[in-house]
Amino acid sequence: MFFRMIIGAFQRQWKKMLMIALTVALGASIATAMLNVMLDVGDKINEELKAYGSNITVVPGSEAVMSDLYDVQGNEGKEEYLGEETLGEFLTIFWANNITDFAPVLDTDVTVKNKDVKLVGTWFDHHFEFVKKGTTYKRDTGIINLRSWWDITDGKWLDEAKLSGDNYAMVGKKLAEELGVKAGDIISVKGTDAAESLEIVGIFESGDDEENYIFSTLPVAQKLSGNTGKYKKAEVSAITSPDDELAIKAAKNPDLLSGDEYDLWYCTAYVSSICFQIQEAIPGASARAVRQIADSEGKILEKTELLMALITLMSLIGATLGISNLVTSSVMERSAELALMKAVGAKNSQVTLLVLTEIILTSLIGAAAGYLMGYCFAQVIGQSVFSSAIKMSGMVAFLVTVMIIAVTLVGSLPAIRMILRLRPSEVLHGGH
């Protein structure tokens, strides 16, 4: 009998039920899209921000402490170097998969056409292999990704795999204009320990001081400076989690953490934990966060997530108001029917349960349709903003269902109050 009454209500008020389902579907679609994007947006924003360069710098300095992670300035004094053999250790740490790119850097003063300039030796598009304890680690990396904002105005990027030998270079636009050189020219470069002839592969525009530099391969810089097998620093780009109280506490001193806190910190991709693991893997190295980039990642992510949470909240509030108006209107239209049910012996709880069951079933149908709409909406956001698909989380489906049921119950409160106050004698006899 109960279900026959529900079916009858759907048949008689299908237009009203359809409006409720559409209202719920709109709220559910926005909530589904925003929650899925919010859960997946962290890695995507981090990937986008990688275009702005490295967020970790590794330099020599065995005396460094973890508090240095919040100070990117190095110490003045005698120059120290790291051994080139340590570069493979970046691929052995716990968070190695979060390290998207890295490149060693060795700069040295050279003379070109009687002009003193700085030459930077590094990897460009470098295929790196490292063997440790029988395991081979491979990675394609270099500044081609760490300097993605460079504009090649003449020539092309230096591709190490397609060129024979190491005697190639890229020259900053300002320096190229001063020297009067272009792509394809050969320049003679004299360093402190050797002289080399370099073919210019490309001219780049960076918008900073690097336009006054020559960028060449790491072996060339090592020969010119007499630092064979060494590098001065490494630039590392890693996908990290935003800092919170635990990360800040650990960055000051990991020894202050309890056992559980240490495990949680170590196994979370905080910039401080990645730096700490790099220092563990490379004795005598100091890994420090480039705070401008690391802080920006966290702030942008927090603001983005807050915006999406507010959009979700506003959509649910709108759905609640819509449901409240529609359900109240439905109860008013059915007042005679509901009063008759009370007159023949139905209790307030039974009448309320009947109405709520009808509304919740309608809302669940709307929520299912809204979830599918939200899936499409999320993919549109992913492709248009991040050029990649948004991963749909099963947890979101559960959360949306719970939220829709809660919204439906809250939106039905005015109608329930009306049902409880409804008096059969007043309704059926016109108030007499």
Side-chain angles (χ1 to χ4, degrees):
M1 184 66 179
F2 182 79
F3 292 105
R4 287 176 60 189
M5 294 178 69
I6 292 176
I7 294 173
F10 274 102
Q11 291 174 339
R12 292 190 302 274
Q13 291 199 314
W14 66 269
K15 291 183 179 179
K16 192 76 69 177
M17 296 301 182
L18 179 60
M19 289 299 297
I20 293 174
L22 288 175
T23 301
V24 170
L26 289 174
S29 65
I30 296 175
T32 298
M34 293 298 102
L35 289 175
N36 276 296
V37 172
M38 189 165 60
L39 291 176
D40 195 39
V41 75
D43 288 347
K44 295 187 183 300
I45 286 180
N46 276 315
E47 289 171 3
E48 291 290 325
L49 289 173
K50 292 299 153 288
Y52 296 97
S54 60
N55 54 355
I56 296 174
T57 301
V58 181
V59 296
S62 57
E63 74 285 355
V65 295
M66 284 301 291
S67 60
D68 288 339
L69 293 174
Y70 284 82
D71 178 11
V72 297
Q73 301 299 321
N75 295 324
E76 300 293 335
K78 182 180 178 181
E79 288 189 331
E80 299 180 19
Y81 299 91
L82 292 168
E84 194 173 351
E85 71 280 357
T86 63
L87 290 168
E89 301 297 340
F90 291 122
L91 304 180
T92 66
I93 67 171
F94 181 83
W95 286 110
N97 289 334
N98 280 49
I99 295 179
T100 57
D101 291 285
F102 65 97
V105 174
L106 176 64
D107 60 80
T108 183
D109 294 326
V110 298
T111 302
V112 183
K113 294 186 176 182
N114 297 319
K115 180 178 178 62
D116 294 333
V117 300
K118 179 175 287 188
L119 181 142
V120 179
T122 186
W123 291 344
F124 291 84
D125 188 7
H126 187 81
H127 179 72
F128 179 65
E129 292 190 11
F130 175 70
V131 180
K132 184 175 182 179
K133 296 181 179 179
T135 302
T136 301
Y137 302 89
K138 299 180 181 180
R139 185 70 59 89
D140 291 322
T141 185
I143 66 167
I144 193 170
N145 294 320
L146 295 174
R147 298 290 192 280
S148 59
W149 65 88
W150 279 8
D151 181 22
I152 308 303
T153 59
D154 184 25
K156 58 185 178 180
W157 272 98
L158 198 162
D159 190 337
E160 298 171 59
K162 295 181 179 179
L163 298 173
S164 59
D166 300 313
N167 287 27
Y168 298 93
M170 296 183 69
V171 180
K173 183 178 179 180
K174 291 181 181 179
L175 179 60
E177 292 174 350
E178 292 180 11
L179 297 177
V181 297
K182 61 183 184 301
D185 289 350
I186 305 294
I187 55 174
S188 297
V189 178
K190 184 178 181 181
T192 56
D193 273 50
E196 296 285 342
S197 294
L198 305 178
E199 178 182 343
I200 300 175
V201 176
I203 306 297
F204 67 88
E205 185 175 7
S206 63
D208 55 22
D209 289 343
E210 290 183 341
E211 288 191 31
N212 297 305
Y213 300 166
I214 297 172
F215 278 74
S216 186
T217 61
L218 184 62
V220 166
Q222 291 171 338
K223 292 176 185 176
L224 292 172
S225 63
N227 292 303
T228 304
K230 298 178 181 179
Y231 64 97
K232 186 176 290 185
K233 69 175 183 178
E235 297 183 6
V236 181
S237 179
I239 297 175
T240 60
S241 299
D243 279 358
D244 53 19
E245 292 182 4
L246 175 61
I248 295 173
K249 180 180 178 181
K252 292 178 180 178
N253 188 351
D255 294 334
L256 298 177
L257 301 179
S258 65
D260 291 340
E261 287 178 331
Y262 182 88
D263 291 340
L264 177 60
W265 168 71
Y266 195 89
C267 296
T268 303
Y270 297 123
V271 66
S272 56
S273 61
I274 294 177
C275 288
F276 182 78
Q277 291 171 28
I278 290 174
Q279 291 185 171
E280 282 186 319
I282 307 177
S286 172
R288 297 175 289 187
V290 181
R291 298 313 307 176
Q292 295 93 326
I293 296 178
D295 288 346
S296 295
E297 291 174 357
K299 290 177 181 178
I300 291 174
L301 182 58
E302 288 175 1
K303 291 179 179 179
T304 303
E305 290 179 341
L306 176 60
L307 175 62
M308 292 181 178
L310 289 175
I311 293 173
T312 301
L313 178 61
M314 295 304 295
S315 70
L316 294 176
I317 291 175
T320 302
L321 294 175
I323 290 172
S324 178
N325 290 331
L326 290 169
V327 175
T328 301
S329 174
S330 175
V331 169
M332 291 177 65
E333 291 178 6
R334 299 172 61 191
S335 58
E337 174 192 344
L338 300 177
L340 182 59
M341 291 174 58
K342 282 190 174 185
V344 297
K347 298 179 181 178
N348 281 331
S349 59
Q350 293 173 320
V351 177
T352 301
L353 179 62
L354 175 66
V355 174
L356 282 179
T357 302
E358 295 170 0
I359 303 305
I360 289 176
L361 286 175
T362 304
S363 296
L364 290 177
I365 294 172
Y371 185 83
L372 295 177
M373 292 167 58
Y375 172 83
C376 297
F377 188 23
Q379 300 314 314
V380 170
I381 294 174
Q383 293 297 334
S384 59
V385 178
F386 303 107
S387 300
S388 63
I390 297 294
K391 296 178 183 178
M392 302 299 285
S393 171
M395 181 177 67
V396 170
F398 173 76
L399 288 175
V400 169
T401 302
V402 171
M403 287 189 295
I404 290 302
I405 292 175
V407 163
T408 301
L409 292 175
V410 173
S412 300
L413 288 178
I416 294 173
R417 185 180 180 186
M418 184 179 295
I419 292 173
L420 296 177
R421 290 184 173 184
L422 190 149
R423 296 182 180 181
S425 59
E426 294 180 358
V427 176
L428 298 175
H429 297 287
H432 299 288

